Structure formats: structure tokens, C-alpha cells
Amino acid sequence: MTEDNATDTEAEDHGPTTFLTKYVWSQDHKVIAIQYGLTAIAIGLVALVLSWLMRMQLGFPGALEFVDQEAYYQYATMHGMIMVIYLLTAIFLGGFGNYLIPLMVGARDMVFPYLNMLSYWVYLIAVLVLVSSFFVPGGPTGAGWTLYPPQSILEGTPGYDWGIILMLTSLVIFIIAFTMGGLNYVTTILQARARGMTLMRMPLTVWGIFVATFMGLLAFPVLFVSGVMLLLDRVIGTSFFVPEIISMGEPLAYGGGSPLLFQHLFWFFGHPEVYIVALPAFGIVSDLLSIHARKNIFGYRMMVWALIGIGALSFIVWAHHMYVSGMDPAFGFFFAVTTLIIAVPTAIKVYNWVLTLWRGDIHLTIPMLFSISFVLTFVFGGLTGLFLGNVVVDVPLSDTYFVVAHFHMVMGVAPIMVVFGAIYHWYPKMTGRMLNGPMGQIHFWVTFLGTYAIYFPMHYLGFVGVPRRYYGYEDIEFIPQSVHDLNAAITVAALFVGVVQLLFLYNLVWSLKRGELAGGNPWRATSLEWQTPNTPPVHGNWGKNMPQVHRWAYDFSVPGADKDFMPQNMPRQSFEAADVHKLDPDPPTAGPPSDDPALPPREGEA
């Protein structure tokens, strides 16, 4: 049931009055979203540089003298953790979630603005704690981004002293920040929607963020607990995850712990985390494809239930990451079956995306190009996932570059394509200006083709048997020369793709002042964020008149309409009276065409 969030029509008058309260200690969801986004991009650039250093060592061994074995494993660990947690999770939920939820559901702001502000600053503290590990004795941890004990906390592993402590502390702080933000997102969606904005009229972007946030609120506490337990093992010598160990003939002060317990806890969080990133991407792509194809999304209700089904099923597939750890065949069979089952709602979404494009008025804008590239990449990565979901195939491939290729296609390239598409799409709303088109075209094509040049060959490396997590392959007899040649080519492609991201950043800054003026709705979209009275939206978003929703978010190319789009806040028209919103999943009942009879107008609503 929706809430009337406009009872105080003077809400917009209580905005920030100083520079600090407007841009630093801001409680405006839009400013907080940009803070999240800029911080996530900044730490993402650190991960990008680390990937360059790793690729230089693999492609041209010894070219960088400072990249020794310890440094390589430290770079690999930090790169993986930054990309999965501190970049992708933060930018999808903290960035796009913060900016879009209140605008798309017709709210003035998040329900708890002060808590929203705190969530960003706690996230920033988590990032700073993580980065500080580069400057402590021994450097950051080199245990691998999964942090498996006992290796991660024992002497001999790079960063076993301060590095692992700071990593685990940073994760705990990040989860606190996520919980603050997540509770805000869920409450805002459930309690602060505009009049007429039923759940089944929300854009799929909001649905994706909503389900992903709910999943995170269930999954992140597991990582929180396991992180605290591992921290206690390292700092005060408990034995939650470390068994009795004899090292160099001497018994260590541990006993009775279970390393497998940590793996189960980590992946119980870890696989939902894949969809905590993927579901917002699914929602955003659904909206971008519909808008830029000028066609309503195909199978809206099916798409919503597919999101919910994927979210639920993601909690019962975690152990397919652990086939090689030693598992009863019955459990292996169960997790192989659930892995195949979760592909069904995912496939439904892919079919619906294709059918949305079918016979649409497709505009190959830059957001559309990135959206289509996401669909292609996710399908390809998903197909390789079917290989790894099968026990007998996964066991020989598990420790090879095939897994690196699969994981990066699904969890790296595909979501990043959506991030770029979303930024190109909503940048005009955030700034009032369009991003430069030619620079965007260069950015897209080099990124799209370049990432395939990087990760396609890695599937071959996996089939050849090239093990992952190796510092070098020069002295391994079974590695053919083709592997060394491919590693060099992959490194060159990675450098090109990395450099073109600098062009993207330049475009962001250049377009702030020199970009073409966008107007209020340059994409002719229907959802509420494009119907604000000001662009960029001011504090309070809607001024004195709150929006009232009369239709779903996908009324494109409606027969009889003057334009090829009908915004959600447009009252029902006379030509619609005879056939009331056949496609609207939550249509109004019969009544006068000028209004939704279930929603009598209130003072201050338009």
C-alpha cells in the first residue's frame, strides 16, 4: 500500500543552506548517489591499475621488476575484492539505487535521509581502511579474494600480518554501510511511493534494486559473521576455521577448526552476491532496451517474478563453487540440478529482452549499444556457466583459466557494460547535458571488442589446462608456446581497454560544461524520473506538486497517442477508455478517462 509522501508540501523548503550541507554532509539522495558513484569509480581505477600490473607479468614476464611473486598475489587479491564488493555492489546499489529509487517511485527523498548520509561516509571509511593496507608493513593480503583459511592468516602468505586484518575490518565496515543503505532502499520502495505507483507499476530498475537489496540484507550478515570469526582466529588465536596444524615440525596454537565451514559461509554469501550485482543490471537493461526500442517491455509480470525467483534460488546453489573441496555425490547432484534450475528464470529474461527488441523502433544510441552488448555477454558467460555447473566437467576445469574467463564475462564485463549504459542514459538527468557522442562511440566499440579479445582466448587457455593463480608459466613443460603468445596478446588488449576508460572519464568531465543541453526528457522516456519540473532535479525533486501515477512505465507507441510515449503521470486519455490499458499489469478500473477512479486527487498533487 502506498503512502502519501506529500503531506508536508513545504518539504522542499528545508533544503541545505551551506556548501558543506549541500555537497559534503549532504542528505539529498542525489548528491549521496554521486558521492557513492565517484568513490566507487575511484577505487575501481585502483583495481584497473592492479589488473594492468598482473597482465604485464603474465604477458611479458619480468618486464616490471617490482612485480614479484608476493606483489602479484597481493594485486590479484585486492583487484578481485575491489571489483566485486567496493565497485560493483556500491555503484549499483549505493549509486544508481540512491539516485533512482526516490525519483522513479515519486518520492521526495529516501525515508531516512540522515541514515542515508551516514551509509556513504561509513562506506568511504571502509574504502580508506582497505586502501591503507597498501601502506602497512607487509602490504595487503595476498590470500586470494576468497580469503580461504588457514592460508589467509598463517605466516608465509603475503600480508598475513596487517594486510588480512585490514581487509577483514574493511569488509565488516562495508557491511554496516550496506545495511544502513539497504534498509533505506527497501523502506522507501515499500512506504514512500507516489499515489498510483503500485508495485506492479514500478519500473524494472526499481524491482531489480529492490530484490537485490533484500538479498543483500540476508546474505551480507553471513559474510559479516564469518569475517569476524576469521578476524578472531587471526588476532586472538581462536580456532573457528583453522584445524590442528604442524608447521616446520612444530604444532601451531590452533586446533579443531574447519576450513570447509568458512568456504560454506563465504559462498552462501558469494553466490547471492553474483545476483546482488546482476539483478540491478537486469532491471536497468530492461528499461534501457524498452526506451531505446520505443516499445513496451515484453512480459512485465514474468520479468518481475523472474527477478524474485532468481533471488530465491540463488540461496540454494552456493556449493557448486566447492565441487573440488570433496563432496558427497548426492550433494553434488543436488547443487548441479539447482544450478540448472536457476538458469530457467534467467533464460526467461533473455527471451523477453529479445522479444522486446523484436519489431521495435530500435535506436542504436550509446545506452542501447551497451545494453545489447550486455545481453550478448551475459548469454555467452551464462552458457559457460552451464559447463561449470556440471560436476564432472567442473572438476578438471575448476583451477584453470576457463573459470577466470567465465567469471569475468558474467561478473565483470556484463555488469560493467550496464554501468556504462546507465551512466550514458541518466547523465543528462544528473547534469542537464548530454555526453559527447563520438567519444562515446569510441569508448563503446573499444571496450566491447577489447573485452572479448581479453576473455575469449582464456577459454582456450582453460581447455589446454593452464592453471589460474600462477605468477608465471615460463618453466612449466606442458604449457605450449601458444599460451605465451596468447598471454601477450591478452595483455596488449587489456592495456588498450584500460586506456579507453580514461577517455570515458574525460568525457564525463568535458561534457559537464561543453556537452549539448539535454532538456528535461531527451530520450522521450515514460518513467517518473524524467518528469521532474527541473533538470537536474532540485532538493525535494518535485516542488510543491507531487506526481500522481496513472499507468505503468512502458506505454510506448500506443495507438492513437499524439507522441510515441505516454509518461506515467499522464492521465488516462479519451481514446484509451474503450480498451483500458490492456498491457498495464495493474490497470485502473472503469471510470472517467481523465483520472484513475481508485485515486481521488489530493491537495498538492498534479
Side-chain angles (χ1 to χ4, degrees):
M1 186 174 182
T2 61
E3 293 285 332
D4 178 11
N5 51 55
T7 53
D8 180 9
T9 58
E10 297 180 355
E12 68 275 7
D13 296 330
H14 300 292
T17 57
T18 67
F19 178 86
L20 286 177
T21 56
K22 187 173 183 179
Y23 295 110
V24 182
W25 309 108
S26 176
Q27 297 183 39
D28 188 325
H29 71 99
K30 299 178 293 296
V31 177
I32 295 170
I34 293 171
Q35 290 174 326
Y36 259 110
L38 292 177
T39 305
I41 290 173
I43 193 65
L45 290 175
V46 174
L48 175 66
V49 172
L50 295 178
S51 70
W52 280 348
L53 298 177
M54 289 186 292
R55 285 309 322 172
M56 285 297 296
Q57 167 57 30
L58 295 173
F60 307 98
L64 301 176
E65 294 184 2
F66 64 88
V67 183
D68 56 15
Q69 293 185 22
E70 286 197 359
Y72 178 86
Y73 291 117
Q74 290 170 322
Y75 298 163
T77 302
M78 295 295 283
H79 168 79
M81 190 63 77
I82 288 171
M83 291 298 293
V84 172
I85 303 293
Y86 298 87
L87 171 60
L88 290 173
T89 303
I91 202 167
F92 273 119
L93 300 181
F96 295 119
N98 250 310
Y99 198 91
L100 295 175
I101 287 173
L103 289 170
M104 282 188 157
V105 303
R108 291 202 180 279
D109 207 311
M110 289 292 181
V111 170
F112 308 115
Y114 186 77
L115 189 67
N116 202 24
M117 178 192 73
L118 283 181
S119 74
Y120 166 71
W121 288 102
V122 175
Y123 163 66
L124 180 61
I125 291 171
V127 171
L128 294 177
V129 170
L130 182 75
V131 172
S132 69
S133 65
F134 284 102
F135 305 101
V136 296
T141 179
W145 80 276
T146 53
L147 307 179
Y148 283 175
Q151 170 192 335
S152 59
I153 63 172
L154 295 183
E155 186 175 356
T157 300
Y160 84 97
D161 194 0
W162 279 103
I164 187 64
I165 293 174
L166 290 173
M167 169 69 80
L168 293 170
T169 303
S170 175
L171 284 174
V172 168
I173 297 171
F174 177 89
I175 295 166
I176 294 171
F178 169 84
T179 304
M180 291 179 179
L183 292 172
N184 225 343
Y185 309 153
V186 170
T187 307
T188 301
I189 291 170
L190 292 179
Q191 296 296 324
R193 302 190 308 278
R195 294 281 295 170
M197 180 63 79
T198 62
L199 289 174
M200 283 297 173
R201 282 180 174 175
M202 294 195 309
L204 288 168
T205 293
V206 178
W207 268 110
I209 294 170
F210 176 60
V211 177
T213 302
F214 200 84
M215 291 169 58
L217 292 172
L218 296 177
F220 269 110
V222 179
L223 181 65
F224 182 94
V225 170
S226 57
V228 170
M229 292 165 70
L230 187 58
L231 194 59
L232 293 175
D233 280 3
R234 172 64 190 86
V235 175
I236 65 174
T238 57
S239 296
F240 291 111
F241 303 125
V242 185
E244 185 174 349
I245 295 178
I246 298 176
S247 176
M248 304 295 289
E250 296 292 330
L252 301 183
Y254 293 102
S258 171
L260 277 179
L261 173 61
F262 180 87
Q263 291 188 34
H264 280 288
L265 292 173
F266 181 88
W267 288 115
F268 186 82
F269 148 79
H271 199 81
E273 167 64 13
V274 172
Y275 290 102
I276 290 170
V277 170
L279 294 190
F282 289 171
I284 290 171
V285 162
S286 299
D287 285 349
L288 265 56
L289 290 175
S290 177
I291 291 168
H292 296 276
R294 317 308 301 161
K295 187 180 173 187
N296 59 275
I297 194 73
F298 185 89
Y300 174 88
R301 281 187 180 275
M302 209 185 316
M303 297 288 263
V304 170
W305 286 110
L307 286 170
I308 296 171
I310 292 169
L313 289 169
S314 68
F315 284 94
I316 57 172
V317 298
W318 79 90
H320 68 208
H321 296 274
M322 299 171 55
Y323 288 149
V324 296
S325 65
M327 184 181 297
D328 187 291
F331 283 107
F333 174 77
F334 171 81
F335 286 108
V337 170
T338 56
T339 301
L340 294 175
I341 291 174
I342 201 173
V344 175
T346 308
I348 288 173
K349 301 194 74 63
V350 174
Y351 296 145
N352 285 8
W353 289 329
V354 173
L355 290 169
T356 298
L357 293 174
W358 177 251
R359 304 187 73 177
D361 181 15
I362 296 174
H363 293 62
L364 291 178
T365 59
I366 297 170
M368 178 62 110
L369 291 173
F370 275 109
S371 299
I372 294 173
S373 70
F374 163 81
V375 176
L376 294 173
T377 305
F378 193 83
V379 167
F380 182 82
L383 290 175
T384 60
L386 294 179
F387 285 73
L388 298 174
N390 189 314
V391 181
V392 296
V393 179
D394 177 79
V395 169
L397 290 178
S398 181
D399 284 324
T400 72
Y401 261 83
F402 191 90
V403 171
V404 178
H406 160 74
F407 187 77
H408 280 81
M409 292 292 275
V410 170
M411 192 66 180
V413 178
I416 289 294
M417 292 294 183
V418 180
V419 169
F420 288 140
I423 291 174
Y424 279 99
H425 181 76
W426 279 295
Y427 185 89
K429 173 53 60 176
M430 298 177 185
T431 66
R433 293 183 180 270
M434 305 292 288
L435 284 165
N436 180 272
M439 280 193 275
Q441 290 282 347
I442 295 171
H443 176 227
F444 167 73
W445 287 109
V446 175
T447 301
F448 177 59
L449 298 177
T451 50
Y452 275 72
I454 295 169
Y455 297 110
F456 250 58
M458 287 188 187
H459 295 87
Y460 165 77
L461 297 182
F463 282 130
V464 172
V466 178
R468 57 191 172 117
R469 297 173 176 164
Y470 272 43
Y471 164 73
Y473 302 95
E474 308 90 75
D475 302 322
I476 302 178
E477 294 183 0
F478 73 86
I479 300 293
Q481 181 60 37
S482 61
V483 168
H484 301 295
D485 296 336
L486 273 180
N487 267 329
I490 290 170
T491 298
V492 172
L495 293 174
F496 270 107
V497 170
V499 168
V500 84
Q501 308 317 312
L502 303 180
L503 176 65
F504 167 69
L505 296 178
Y506 175 76
N507 194 359
L508 291 179
V509 176
W510 184 90
S511 298
L512 277 174
K513 295 295 184 182
R514 300 186 180 183
E516 177 187 351
L517 291 175
N521 190 0
W523 308 119
R524 296 173 296 144
T526 62
S527 47
L528 285 185
E529 81 273 19
W530 296 104
Q531 319 309 324
T532 56
N534 303 96
T535 298
V538 297
H539 182 78
N541 295 335
W542 304 102
K544 293 184 178 180
N545 295 320
M546 295 297 292
Q548 180 172 320
V549 175
H550 300 273
R551 60 188 70 243
W552 69 331
Y554 303 98
D555 267 342
F556 292 103
S557 305
V558 177
D562 295 334
K563 299 179 180 179
D564 70 345
F565 70 103
M566 300 178 70
Q568 283 189 283
N569 59 343
M570 175 186 286
R572 188 157 52 89
Q573 305 298 300
S574 57
F575 64 84
E576 299 179 274
D579 188 17
V580 182
H581 292 222
K582 286 179 63 177
L583 296 174
D584 190 338
D586 207 351
T589 57
S594 61
D595 196 17
D596 190 332
L599 302 169
R602 295 183 178 182
E603 183 180 355
E605 292 182 332

